[in-house]
């Protein structure tokens, strides 16, 4: 099979032929492959050479970016078995077969139907085969070949990292490297000059240059000064085809900034300055500012200010404000216009960060002169001392002189000064001051033991200008006098054992004194000799502000005497000396052999009874509670037994309340209240509550006469006494009402209380005697009686 390509390619490409010769039958074909084949001169014969094993023959080339209207011809396939009668069919398979590359199956011509881009795909691998059209059997083995896309210059160089921002120090030497830029070209670097890039500078000359091959940007001038120009914009171009005409190009921008170096010394704008400061300026306050200019930036402009000489170096100081780079002048000592009216200062400003490469541009410091004028102001009076400490004895009489303060006008006018005490606290009211002389006197009597110190504030003002005040603290200490006698340090519980021996120390006592050490210790102790000699105990002064209590005799008895009293005297060391007397209480107790207290008299008494203190307290509380209950009970009983004052017309029925279930009519029959309603019959009818009473009827006219002769008050008192003594009453308080209806009605009472306790025994015939008002009632009860009888 022969493959022919008519593509116009570089002369470097050589026609390679591969011939397979076959001897014998006609079905043995020969394959002939030719690339870039031209027509042979007529009469010349075609010579076939056997290729060496290392030759590569199976490659086609097709130009990228083909824009023609017709498909681009790539090459031709031909088999020696093809006689031109159309019996051979050519088949193309592989990458792009049928879509990008098509083949004429009869002639074997291959065409490209699409525009190809080498930057997307550089080559295609395809397979060719010749088969018999009738039998579809291969006439030759399948052959593989490559179609390479041939590059053209269709891509311009690009700077992928641009634009660039870079810095370079100012005053750099010429040729200092700034930055290397790189442009990339997508074309084939192995074919022609399509990807060969050269660099050039379009903008930025004459300050910078660029290397055409490497793209390194360098400074092109000496001593480029940042203070003159700081920013530069450089445009770099990259062009392919080695910069030839027709090559494609791309550009980028490089922004270059000159960084600062310390190449400029500081300079004061003026050589002489003048500053006004009033004499009233406070020490430590800022009174002025000064600044030296430096054209540099950042740390290269940092500087330090100092006062190098001058008569005001001891009065003023200067510091540096790091933010504003100013010199802050402060006052170290107070000013006095009357003593000195002006000062001269020599101030130096120097850089702190030096670059010795530029020391020849120095010196990097500058000096100026500052004249400070002190201004006169009306000042308040000035005390002779910043503070005063005075002393006065306690108990001093009112009006005692404590001390004197002094102040004067510092101005040349020397005005008169007046004094007064700031009464801001209660302490200030203990003293008074003479307004003209400043003498302080007491206004009250002091007690050092209550307040040992007083702190007051004295103010002074000029008579011509009272608004100007000055103040001074005055501390007054109250001195001690011996006005407090000594006393025992605490209450002592002294115990002596029954088995004590003579001369035995049973207690060590000490004393205290409210006065200070000069009028207090050393204390002296002794027995009160005004009394008779104590035969039981004695006292020994230990001469260390303590004293010991000793026994005089052997053995003590609780049963004979359980408590002893020992009067003592205590003296202090003040002048004059003060003393006090105290009485020590000594209890006699039973002790163990080693001296431990076992029990004392009061505790032994409790023990003999078998009761402790806690038990006695509990018993006492129980007794109190019982007494309270008894009193409450008696009070309630008395309140319930008070007589009721009932009017004659007040008729009430007795309401009896039971806590258990009743028995019906049996309960009402168990208690007859008729006796309570008929005082005249009360003496006769005393029924037992457990026996049914027998009711005795009394005629109406006899009952009325009996009621008139009975004292109701005496009757109720009698019934109350009987109720209190009756053992059959309920064991709880109950309300019993005693009342009767009176004697004014002729008909008498119609209350059911006068009725019999049972219906069967009741006779209602007497209702007819009560008059016409009770006729209907008599008829009703008469019918009921007749029905019962029936």
């Amino acid at each position: 099979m022969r493959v022919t390509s008519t593509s116009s390619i570089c002369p470097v490409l050589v026609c390679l032929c591969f011939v397979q010769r076959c001897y014998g039958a006609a079905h043995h074909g020969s394959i002939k492959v030719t690339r870039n084949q031209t027509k042979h001169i007529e009469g010349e014969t075609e010579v076939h050479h056997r290729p060496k094993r290392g030759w590569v023959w199976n490659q086609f080339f097709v130009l990228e970016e083909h824009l023609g209207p017709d498909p681009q011809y790539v090459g031709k396939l031909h088999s020696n078995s093809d006689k031109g009668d159309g019996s051979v069919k050519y088949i193309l398979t592989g990458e792009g077969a049928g879509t990008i590359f098509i083949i004429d199956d009869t002639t074997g011509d291959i065409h490209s139907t699409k525009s190809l881009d080498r930057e997307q795909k550089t080559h295609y691998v395809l397979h060719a085969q010749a088969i018999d059209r009738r039998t579809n059997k291969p006439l030759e083995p399948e052959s593989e070949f490559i179609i390479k896309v041939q590059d053209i210059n269709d891509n311009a160089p690009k700077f992928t990292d641009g634009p660039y921002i870079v810095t370079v120090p100012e005053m750099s030497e010429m040729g200092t490297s700034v930055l290397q830029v790189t442009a990339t070209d997508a074309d084939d670097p192995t074919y022609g000059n399509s990807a060969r890039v050269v660099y050039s500078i379009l903008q930025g000359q004459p300050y910078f240059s660029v290397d055409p091959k490497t793209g390194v940007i360098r400074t092109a001038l000496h001593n480029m000064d940042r203070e003159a120009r700081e920013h530069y914009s450089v445009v770099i171009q990259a062009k392919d085809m080695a910069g030839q005409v027709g090559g494609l190009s791309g550009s980028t921008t490089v922004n270059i900034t000159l960084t600062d170096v310390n190449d400029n010394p500081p300079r004061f704008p003026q050589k002489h300055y003048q500053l006004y400061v009033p004499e009233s300026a406070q020490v430590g306050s800022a009174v002025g500012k000064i600044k030296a200019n430096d054209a540099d930036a950042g740390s290269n402009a940092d500087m330090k200010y100092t006062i190098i000489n001058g008569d005001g170096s001891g009065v003023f100081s200067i510091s540096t404000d790091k933010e504003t780079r100013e010199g802050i002048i402060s006052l170290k000592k107070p000013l006095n216009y009357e003593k000195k009216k002006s000062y001269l200062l020599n101030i130096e400003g120097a850089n702190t960060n030096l670059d010795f490469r530029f020391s020849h541009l120095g010196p990097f410091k500058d000096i100026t002169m500052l004249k400070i004028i002190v201004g006169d102001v009306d000042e308040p009076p000035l005390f002779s001392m910043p503070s005063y400490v005075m002393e006065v004895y306690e108990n001093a009489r009112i009006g005692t002189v404590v001390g004197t303060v002094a102040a004067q006008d510092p101005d040349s006018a020397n005005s008169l000064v007046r004094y007064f005490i700031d009464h801001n606290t209660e302490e200030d009211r203990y003293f008074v001051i003479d307004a003209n002389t400043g003498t302080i006197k007491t206004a009250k009597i002091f007690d050092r033991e209550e307040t040992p110190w007083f702190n007051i504030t004295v103010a002074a003002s000029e008579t011509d200008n009272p608004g100007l005040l000055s103040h001074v603290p005055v501390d007054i200490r109250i001195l001690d006098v011996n006005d407090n006698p000594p006393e025992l340090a605490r209450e002592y519980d002294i115990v002596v054992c029954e088995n004590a021996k003579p001369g035995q120390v049973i207690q060590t006592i000490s004393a205290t004194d409210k006065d200070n050490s000069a009028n207090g210790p050393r204390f002296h102790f002794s027995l009160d000799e005004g009394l008779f000699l104590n035969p039981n105990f004695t006292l020994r002064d230990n001469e260390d502000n303590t004293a010991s209590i000793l026994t005089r005799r052997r053995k003590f008895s609780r049963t004979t005497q359980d408590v002893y009293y020992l009067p003592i005297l205590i003296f202090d060391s003040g002048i004059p000396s003060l003393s006090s007397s105290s009485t020590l209480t000594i209890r006699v107790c039973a002790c163990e052999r080693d001296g431990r207290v076992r029990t004392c008299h009061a505790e032994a008494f409790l023990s003999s009874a078998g009761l402790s203190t806690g038990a006695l307290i509990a018993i006492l509380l129980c007794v109190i509670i019982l007494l309270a209950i008894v009193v409450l009970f008696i009070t309630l009983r008395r309140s319930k037994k008070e007589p009721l004052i009932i009017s004659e017309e007040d008729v009430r029925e007795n309401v009896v309340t039971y806590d258990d279930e009743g028995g019906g009519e049996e309960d009402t029959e168990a208690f007859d209240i008729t006796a309570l309603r008929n005082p005249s019959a009360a003496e006769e009818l005393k029924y037992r509550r457990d026996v049914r009473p027998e009711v005795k009827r009394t005629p109406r006219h006899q009952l009325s006469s009996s009621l008139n002769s009975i004292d109701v008050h005496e009757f109720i008192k009698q019934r109350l006494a009987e109720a209190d003594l009756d053992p059959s009453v309920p064991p709880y308080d109950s309300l019993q009402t005693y009342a009767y209806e009176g004697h004014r009605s002729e008909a008498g009472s119609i209350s059911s209380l006068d009725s019999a306790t049972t219906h069967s025994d009741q006779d209602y015939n007497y209702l007819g005697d009560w008059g016409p008002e009770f006729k209907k009632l008599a008829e009703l009860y008469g019918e009921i009686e007749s029905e019962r009888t029936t």
Side-chain angles (χ1 to χ4, degrees):
M1 182 167 57
R2 182 174 58 189
V3 180
T4 305
S5 173
T6 61
S7 301
S8 176
I9 61 176
C10 179
V12 177
L13 298 177
V14 182
C15 294
L16 303 176
C17 299
F18 174 77
V19 179
Q20 181 179 0
R21 302 174 64 94
C22 296
Y23 301 94
H27 65 272
H28 291 281
S30 63
I31 298 177
K32 183 179 181 181
V33 180
T34 305
R35 291 188 302 165
N36 296 334
Q37 182 179 0
T38 58
K39 290 184 178 181
H40 296 281
I41 301 175
E42 187 177 352
E44 293 183 354
T45 61
E46 185 176 348
V47 180
H48 300 278
H49 301 278
R50 183 181 299 275
K52 296 181 180 180
R53 291 182 182 273
W55 291 1
V56 180
W57 61 270
N58 53 347
Q59 289 187 0
F60 287 123
F61 290 90
V62 59
L63 289 176
E64 67 170 336
E65 305 294 345
H66 176 70
L67 302 176
D70 299 325
Q72 184 180 3
Y73 182 74
V74 179
K76 185 180 180 64
L77 298 179
H78 184 72
S79 174
N80 291 339
S81 301
D82 188 0
K83 305 301 182 179
D85 56 358
S87 61
V88 178
K89 180 179 179 181
Y90 297 95
I91 299 175
L92 185 67
T93 59
E95 296 179 338
T99 56
I100 300 176
F101 303 102
I102 60 175
I103 188 171
D104 189 326
D105 60 354
T106 302
T107 62
D109 293 331
I110 301 174
H111 291 81
S112 173
T113 61
K114 296 182 179 180
S115 176
L116 304 179
D117 188 355
R118 189 199 69 83
E119 286 70 39
Q120 294 183 358
K121 191 172 180 64
T122 59
H123 66 279
Y124 297 85
V125 179
L126 294 99
H127 299 85
Q129 191 174 28
I131 63 174
D132 190 314
R133 189 181 295 275
R134 291 188 298 273
T135 63
N136 287 330
K137 293 183 178 181
L139 300 176
E140 296 179 6
E142 186 180 71
S143 300
E144 181 181 282
F145 64 96
I146 298 174
I147 299 178
K148 287 190 174 182
V149 182
Q150 186 176 349
D151 182 50
I152 63 173
N153 190 18
D154 60 342
N155 291 279
K158 293 182 179 179
F159 293 93
T160 57
D161 297 331
Y164 301 88
I165 298 176
V166 68
T167 60
V168 62
E170 66 171 333
M171 309 301 290
S172 298
E173 297 181 357
M174 185 176 65
T176 300
S177 177
V178 178
L179 176 69
Q180 182 179 15
V181 294
T182 302
T184 58
D185 196 316
D187 293 326
D188 188 359
T190 63
Y191 176 72
N193 294 325
S194 297
R196 184 179 177 185
V197 178
V198 296
Y199 301 93
S200 61
I201 186 168
L202 301 181
Q203 178 182 320
Q205 295 176 330
Y207 307 103
F208 299 94
S209 63
V210 64
D211 189 294
K213 296 181 179 180
T214 63
V216 176
I217 302 173
R218 302 178 184 274
T219 58
L221 293 178
H222 288 285
N223 300 329
M224 298 177 65
D225 192 1
R226 183 197 68 86
E227 287 72 34
R229 183 177 178 182
E230 185 176 4
H231 301 286
Y232 296 86
S233 180
V234 179
V235 179
I236 303 297
Q237 182 189 64
K239 190 174 184 181
D240 59 12
M241 298 300 292
Q244 298 177 4
V245 177
L248 302 178
S249 64
S251 62
T252 187
T253 300
V254 181
N255 296 312
I256 302 175
T257 301
L258 298 182
T259 57
D260 185 63
V261 297
N262 192 7
D263 59 340
N264 294 278
R267 292 290 180 263
F268 285 103
Q270 301 174 212
K271 290 299 180 183
H272 297 276
Y273 290 89
Q274 186 169 300
L275 179 64
Y276 173 83
V277 180
E279 63 174 338
S280 59
Q282 297 295 320
V283 174
S285 62
V287 296
K289 297 180 181 180
I290 194 169
K291 183 176 183 180
N293 297 327
D294 193 324
D296 295 322
S299 61
N300 295 317
D302 291 342
M303 65 182 65
K304 181 180 180 181
Y305 297 92
T306 55
I307 299 176
I308 55 177
N309 55 44
D311 57 357
S313 58
V315 181
F316 298 92
S317 63
I318 190 169
S319 60
T320 304
D321 189 332
K322 295 183 179 180
E323 297 294 332
T324 62
R325 297 188 175 93
E326 294 177 325
I328 309 300
I329 302 170
S330 302
L331 187 63
K332 292 172 59 177
K333 295 182 180 180
L335 301 176
N336 193 332
Y337 173 81
E338 287 72 26
K339 293 182 179 180
K340 191 172 181 61
K341 296 179 174 56
S342 64
Y343 296 89
L344 288 176
L345 300 176
N346 291 325
I347 299 176
E348 178 186 82
N351 283 141
T352 56
N353 301 314
L354 300 179
D355 193 337
F356 295 102
R357 296 177 300 170
F358 309 103
S359 58
H360 61 281
L361 301 175
F364 285 83
K365 60 183 178 181
D366 196 16
I367 299 175
T368 188
M369 180 179 291
L370 174 63
K371 182 179 181 180
I372 298 179
I373 300 175
V374 180
D376 185 24
V377 295
D378 191 4
E379 299 176 275
L382 180 65
F383 282 95
S384 59
M385 298 175 61
S387 63
Y388 293 86
V389 177
M390 301 178 182
E391 296 177 343
V392 64
Y393 281 98
E394 64 175 331
N395 300 329
R397 293 180 299 176
I398 296 176
T400 301
V401 176
V402 180
T404 302
V405 297
Q408 63 178 4
D409 183 9
D411 299 323
S412 57
N414 196 16
S415 302
L416 294 177
V417 177
R418 295 185 62 84
Y419 306 92
F420 59 92
I421 296 176
D422 280 349
H423 293 288
N424 295 327
T425 62
E426 186 65 27
E427 294 182 357
D428 300 330
R429 305 186 184 277
Y430 282 81
F431 304 92
V432 294
I433 189 171
D434 191 297
N436 298 319
T437 63
T439 301
I440 301 174
K441 298 180 180 180
T442 61
K444 294 183 180 181
I445 297 177
F446 308 107
D447 185 0
R448 188 201 67 86
E449 287 71 36
E450 292 183 359
T451 308
W453 282 90
F454 288 90
N455 302 311
I456 64 174
T457 302
V458 176
S461 65
E462 298 178 6
T463 56
D464 297 338
N465 190 359
L468 288 177
L469 298 175
S470 59
H471 300 80
V472 67
V474 180
D475 299 329
I476 301 175
R477 181 172 60 188
I478 307 302
L479 300 178
D480 184 50
V481 297
N482 193 16
D483 57 346
N484 291 281
E487 56 188 17
L488 288 175
R490 61 183 177 87
E491 293 290 336
Y492 291 95
D493 183 16
I494 305 176
V495 174
V496 62
C497 296
E498 288 182 317
N499 56 358
K501 298 179 181 180
Q504 181 178 344
V505 177
I506 61 174
Q507 183 69 50
T508 300
I509 61 175
S510 61
T512 184
D513 196 324
K514 295 181 180 179
D515 295 324
N516 60 16
S517 58
N519 294 312
R522 189 177 71 89
F523 300 113
H524 303 275
F525 300 86
S526 66
L527 294 177
D528 191 350
E529 297 179 354
L531 303 176
F532 57 88
L533 180 63
N534 193 311
N536 301 309
F537 304 96
T538 185
L539 181 144
R540 181 181 65 199
D541 192 341
N542 298 326
E543 298 183 356
D544 60 352
N545 298 321
T546 64
S548 299
I549 308 299
L550 297 86
T551 58
R552 280 183 177 270
R553 64 184 179 88
R554 181 188 305 273
K555 292 187 179 181
F556 294 84
S557 176
R558 289 177 293 160
T559 58
T560 303
Q561 185 174 351
D562 59 347
V563 177
Y564 293 88
Y565 299 98
L566 182 64
I568 62 172
L569 295 176
I570 308 174
F571 300 86
D572 61 19
S573 298
I575 300 175
S577 178
L578 298 180
S579 65
S580 65
S581 62
S582 299
T583 300
L584 299 177
T585 302
I586 303 174
R587 295 185 299 141
V588 180
C589 298
C591 302
E592 304 290 346
R593 290 185 178 182
D594 57 0
R596 291 181 300 167
V597 176
R598 185 173 69 247
T599 180
C600 293
H601 184 270
E603 296 176 355
F605 175 77
L606 294 177
S607 300
S608 63
L611 297 176
S612 63
T613 304
L616 290 177
I617 294 175
I619 293 173
L620 182 60
L621 290 177
C622 292
V623 171
I624 294 174
I625 294 173
L626 290 176
L627 290 176
I629 294 174
V630 170
V631 172
L632 180 62
F633 179 76
I634 294 174
T635 303
L636 294 176
R637 291 295 301 269
R638 287 182 178 179
S639 63
K640 291 183 177 296
K641 293 179 181 180
E642 292 180 357
L644 299 177
I645 301 175
I646 304 174
S647 64
E648 295 180 354
E649 298 180 358
D650 184 10
V651 181
R652 303 183 183 179
E653 294 184 357
N654 185 24
V655 179
V656 181
T657 303
Y658 297 92
D659 291 337
D660 53 355
E661 293 185 4
E665 294 180 353
E666 295 181 359
D667 287 342
T668 58
E669 293 175 356
F671 184 79
D672 183 18
I673 204 168
T674 307
L676 300 180
R677 287 298 181 186
N678 297 279
S680 60
E683 294 296 332
E684 298 176 1
L685 298 177
K686 293 183 180 178
Y687 303 115
R688 291 180 57 188
R689 297 189 178 184
D690 54 347
V691 179
R692 171 175 292 191
E694 295 180 1
V695 181
K696 182 180 181 180
R697 294 179 174 84
T698 303
R700 177 176 176 273
H701 63 278
Q702 295 179 4
L703 180 62
S704 176
S705 61
S706 299
L707 291 175
N708 293 331
S709 61
I710 297 299
D711 187 353
V712 177
H713 180 67
E714 292 297 331
F715 167 74
I716 292 177
K717 288 178 63 178
Q718 185 177 359
R719 295 279 76 78
L720 180 61
E722 291 176 357
D724 289 341
L725 299 177
D726 189 356
S728 62
V729 299
Y732 52 82
D733 293 338
S734 61
L735 178 63
Q736 301 187 31
T737 303
Y738 303 94
Y740 67 97
E741 295 189 15
H743 54 277
R744 293 183 181 179
S745 174
E746 295 181 358
S749 174
I750 64 173
S751 172
S752 62
L753 295 177
D754 292 334
S755 302
T757 56
T758 61
H759 296 289
S760 59
D761 298 333
Q762 182 68 45
D763 185 8
Y764 298 103
N765 295 327
Y766 62 89
L767 294 177
D769 301 331
W770 286 6
E773 295 87 350
F774 299 94
K775 182 178 180 181
K776 188 64 178 176
L777 183 61
E779 293 175 357
L780 290 174
Y781 277 84
E783 293 177 0
I784 294 173
E785 186 67 18
S786 63
E787 290 176 1
R788 290 178 180 175
T789 304
T790 304

